[in-house]
Each structure stands twice: as C-alpha cells, then as structure tokens.
C-alpha cells in the first residue's frame, strides 16, 4: 500500500452521495491506497464497498422528509445527544485506527452543516496529529448554497482554514461550480475539477432486442424517497394510452414507502412491470426506448452514458435547486426533454415522453473519468504534497 485514506460520507434521503463515494473508494483502492469508508446513513445491502475497503458504519441518521431539517435515527426517532456522542466516538476511533495520510469528507463544508458535532472534532483531530493528514472535500458538480452571503463566506473561510483541496466531481465544460456557488472564484486555488464520477458501463448492445428492457419506457426514481409523484404520474400517463404498444418498467428505488409501492401495484396495465431495484439498470437504459427520471447526479450520468432518449423531471422541493440546474443545462444542450415538477401532469408527461421517443440518441461528450482521476490526485498529493500535485493534475 502506498498510503491510507479515511473517507467520510453521509447520505440523508437518496442514495446518490453513497453511490458516488463507493465509486471513489473503489478508485482509491485500485490506486493501491488502504481505504476506510465511514458511512453515516442507513445501511443499504445493495450498496456496499468492495472487499478492498474497510467499512465503519456509524449509528445511522437520515432525514425524515425532503425538508432535510428533521433528522431521525434508524428507528425514526429524533436524534439526541447520546446518539451524537456514539457517532462522534466511533468516527474518532476509526480515524485513530486508520492513521490516514488523507481525510476525505464528502460535501462538508458546502453541506452537512448539521453534522458539525462530529466533523469539527474530526478536523481538530487531524490538526492535532504530529504529521497532519491531507484534508480534502469531495464535492458534486452542483451545490445548494445558503442564501445568506455571510454563511457562504463562512464556507470560504472553512475551506481556507481546514482543507487542502476541493475535488469537484464535474466537468467545467458542462457546469462550473460558480453557477451554484457564487463565491467559488475566492477559492479557485483549492478547486480541482476531476470529471464526473461514473460507474464503468459494460456494453450490452443497445440494439439488442432479446435482452431485458428492449424498447421499453423505463421510469426510475433513484433511491425512491421522493419519487412517488413521478411514478404515479407516469403510470397514469400509460393508463391514458401513452405509447401503450410498448412495454413499461417502473423502478421505484429501495426507499419508496411501502404504502406508495402498494398503491402503484393496484390495477397495473398489461405489459407494465413494477420493481424495486435492478442491478442492471445501466444496461436497461442502453436498451430502452425512453428513460423517464429525476435529474440526480448518478441517474443523469447513467442516462448520458447509455445515450438514452430521456425525459428529466427534476426534484425541486423547498430550496432544492441542484437537479433543476442540471436538467436545464442538459435540455439547453438538446440532450433531454425537461418537465419541471410544477408542470408535472399525466398529459404533459405523456407529451414529453412522445417527443423524447422521436429524438435521436443523446450524444453529449462529458468527462466521466472522475473516479480514477480523483484517486490519482489523492495518491500524488500523499506522495508529493498537496499543492504540487494539485497544480500538476488540475490541467491533466
């Protein structure tokens, strides 16, 4: 092993943060680094690190709903100081055991402000080490920035005081960080665009009419915690006759409530399948006629990699602007049809699906080498020092 890394990730409602972290962890391990993944969200059996990484599961915390302000434990009870203490102690013990050369914290300080009770002590422990480990932020392409400028300036100060680099997992040719975080230029010397972090796609023959999903309308809801309205609307569009000559497949995600799943099973039309999860989702995308989904980071990457005709209905509750910005950019580039959540209705969705079915395959070239490039960067920073490696790899 050429070094060791502690990677902290906290997913609250969906599964996108954890999926991206797992791809990064696999890349780090492939680079010869010993990796400890500390996960603070609910344990998901279908999403776990490879044997190359050690998993430390904190007592789980999740968001009760899309507001993200009401945090609960694994049994749905409000979190308390006892739970915070157990998590903090477990995290610090994992740090002490790993003796990492680098600490990677997903989202913080741009997000996960509610977890300062454990992240502030982790950063303090890193500073207190005789040989301070590198401290890096792992950040998706788009953030939901505070409206208060003082809070944005506090994020800038925290990056400057505690972080050696911010690894932005996006392609600046598509979206730059300043489009969602106006003060990004103030930390330009810390920003490194790595490219998007995507799972490698195994070609399965997009024109294969024998494989599962050939020619289908594929409706997916990511993790499913906030996808119920899209699934129900798509099902009603199908009942009203939208492309009824084709098979339809609805993937609800593991987090759709049991009540919503049960409601969807009632009066399913012929040739409509309803499933929780498919490991071969990327291959289904390659063979489908149209993909209908929200606009989360991982789903959009899967859709673009498959070159699928797509309808994007971004999740946009409360102040959530991330998916809308991503969907608007892709629609402007002609890579997808977009329907805002406020416009969502069976007839409008049906019209968007029919328009997408007539489109040529999407052919948008974006950088999806983020997992490997991030791993190379971290390994180089450990070997050579933060600034030298970041400066060299920023333009590679």
């Amino acid at each position: 092993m050429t070094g060791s890394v502690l990677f902290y990730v906290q997913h609250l409602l969906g599964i996108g943060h954890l999926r991206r972290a797992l791809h990064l962890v696999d890349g780090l391990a492939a680079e010869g680094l010993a990796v400890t993944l500390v996960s603070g969200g609910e344990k998901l059996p279908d999403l776990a690190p490879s044997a190359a990484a050690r998993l430390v599961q904190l007592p789980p915390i999740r968001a009760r709903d899309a507001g993200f302000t009401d945090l609960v434990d694994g049994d749905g009870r409000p979190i308390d100081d006892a739970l915070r203490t157990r998590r903090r102690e477990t995290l610090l013990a994992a740090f002490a055991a790993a003796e990492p050369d680098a600490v990677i914290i997903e989202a913080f300080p741009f997000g996960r402000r509610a977890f300062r009770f454990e992240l502030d002590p982790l950063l303090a422990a890193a500073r207190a080490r005789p040989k301070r480990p590198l401290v890096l932020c792992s950040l998706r392409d788009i953030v939901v920035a505070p409206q208060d400028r003082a809070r944005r300036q506090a994020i800038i100060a925290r990056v400057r005081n505690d972080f050696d680099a911010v690894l932005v997992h996006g392609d600046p040719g598509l979206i730059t960080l300043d489009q969602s975080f106006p003060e990004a230029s103030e930390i330009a010397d810390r920003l490194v665009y790595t490219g998007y972090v995507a799972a490698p796609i195994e070609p399965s023959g997009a024109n294969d009419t024998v494989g599962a999903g050939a020619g289908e309308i594929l409706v997916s809801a990511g993790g499913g915690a906030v996808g119920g309205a899209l699934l129900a609307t798509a099902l009603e569009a199908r009942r009203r006759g939208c492309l009824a000559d084709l098979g339809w497949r609805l993937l609800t995600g593991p987090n759709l409530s049991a009540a919503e799943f049960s409601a969807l099973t009632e009066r399913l039309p012929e040739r409509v399948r309803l499933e929780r999860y498919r490991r071969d989702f990327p291959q289904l995308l390659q063979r489908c006629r149209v993909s209908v989904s929200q606009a989360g980071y991982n789903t959009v990457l899967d859709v673009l990699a498959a070159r699928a005709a797509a309808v994007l209905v971004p999740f946009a509750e409360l102040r959530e602007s991330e998916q809308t910005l991503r969907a608007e950019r892709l629609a402007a580039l002609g890579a997808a049809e977009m329907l805002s959540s406020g416009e969502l209705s069976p007839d409008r969705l049906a019209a968007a699906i029919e328009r997408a079915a007539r489109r040529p395959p999407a052919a948008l070239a974006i950088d999806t080498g983020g997992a490997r490039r991030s791993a190379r960067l971290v390994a180089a920073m450990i070997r050579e020092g933060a600034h030298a490696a970041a400066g060299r790899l920023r333009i590679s």
Side-chain angles (χ1 to χ4, degrees):
M1 293 290 181
T2 59
S4 61
V5 177
L6 181 92
F7 194 121
Y8 169 99
V9 61
Q10 172 68 55
H11 63 285
L12 288 173
L13 196 62
I15 61 177
H17 292 272
L18 181 59
R19 277 189 65 192
R20 185 168 56 253
L22 291 173
H23 295 324
L24 289 164
V25 164
D26 287 344
L28 292 165
E31 198 66 26
L33 298 166
V35 186
T36 299
L37 176 65
V38 181
S39 177
E42 288 187 307
K43 189 173 182 179
L44 299 171
D46 289 314
L47 291 175
S50 66
R54 174 175 176 250
L55 174 64
V56 174
Q57 176 66 55
L58 301 180
I61 289 177
R62 62 179 174 84
R64 190 188 297 276
D65 54 38
F68 292 100
T69 56
D70 190 5
L71 301 182
V72 297
D73 65 15
D75 295 319
R77 298 172 301 208
I79 63 173
D80 56 19
D81 287 341
L83 177 63
R84 294 185 182 94
T85 298
R86 290 200 305 275
R87 282 178 57 107
R88 182 168 54 245
E89 291 175 348
T90 303
L91 175 58
L92 292 177
F95 172 80
E99 297 185 343
D101 298 295
V103 174
I104 302 176
I105 303 176
E106 200 269 338
F108 188 79
F110 297 86
R112 301 297 182 258
R113 188 166 178 263
F115 292 83
R116 288 176 298 171
F117 68 87
E118 60 192 15
L119 293 175
D120 284 345
L122 175 62
L123 292 168
R127 287 193 299 269
R129 282 267 300 274
K131 183 182 178 182
R132 175 188 170 279
L134 298 165
V135 179
L136 311 172
C137 170
S138 170
L139 193 67
R140 72 185 178 203
D141 58 340
I142 300 168
V143 300
V144 180
Q147 293 178 319
D148 181 9
R149 188 174 186 276
R151 281 187 56 191
R152 298 198 303 272
Q153 286 297 320
I155 293 170
I156 294 292
R158 175 58 73 98
V159 169
R160 291 213 163 277
N161 291 336
D162 290 323
F163 288 81
D164 296 289
V166 177
L167 309 183
V168 183
H169 304 305
D171 181 343
L174 181 64
I175 296 171
T176 54
L177 186 61
D178 61 283
Q179 291 176 259
S180 59
F181 191 81
E183 286 79 7
S185 62
E186 297 181 32
I187 49 170
D189 59 322
R190 306 292 170 96
L191 300 181
V192 182
Y193 287 91
T194 69
Y196 283 91
V197 175
I201 299 294
E202 298 179 6
S204 61
N207 295 321
D208 177 14
T209 58
V210 177
E216 288 182 338
I217 306 303
L218 179 61
V219 185
S220 60
V226 292
L230 174 59
L231 293 163
T233 304
L235 190 55
E236 182 58 28
R238 167 60 181 80
R239 287 193 183 111
R240 295 185 185 186
C242 178
L243 298 182
D245 57 322
L246 301 179
W248 284 53
R249 187 185 304 265
L250 278 62
L251 301 181
T252 70
N255 295 329
L256 187 78
S257 71
E260 287 179 295
F261 188 90
S262 177
L264 291 171
T265 63
E266 297 177 4
R267 299 187 301 111
L268 277 181
E270 291 185 8
R271 302 187 66 192
V272 175
R273 296 173 180 264
L274 179 68
E275 299 173 298
R276 279 279 186 187
Y277 183 79
R278 290 283 298 231
R279 289 183 179 274
D280 61 345
F281 176 64
Q283 287 71 41
L284 292 176
L285 280 170
Q286 291 181 63
R287 294 188 290 260
C288 75
R289 179 72 175 275
V290 176
S291 164
V292 181
S293 70
Q294 295 176 318
Y297 183 101
N298 293 289
T299 298
V300 163
L301 287 178
D302 288 339
V303 168
L304 292 176
R307 299 189 66 185
V311 176
L312 298 177
V313 185
F315 169 67
E317 297 297 320
L318 300 176
R319 288 189 55 249
E320 287 297 313
S321 56
E322 170 226 346
Q323 292 195 15
T324 298
L325 176 56
R326 189 178 294 114
E328 286 176 343
R329 181 65 175 142
L330 293 173
L333 292 171
E337 295 286 336
M338 176 186 163
L339 189 66
S340 73
S341 59
E343 298 172 318
L344 184 62
S345 72
D347 292 340
R348 288 174 178 158
L349 183 58
I353 292 171
E354 289 165 1
R355 286 195 303 271
R358 296 191 294 267
R359 298 175 68 104
L364 183 62
I366 61 171
D367 183 351
T368 57
R372 182 178 180 186
R373 192 172 292 109
S374 297
R376 286 174 51 222
L377 173 60
V378 172
M381 291 176 86
I382 290 172
R383 289 193 310 267
E384 305 170 22
H387 297 294
R392 179 171 61 80
L393 292 181
R394 181 175 284 111
I395 58 173
S396 65

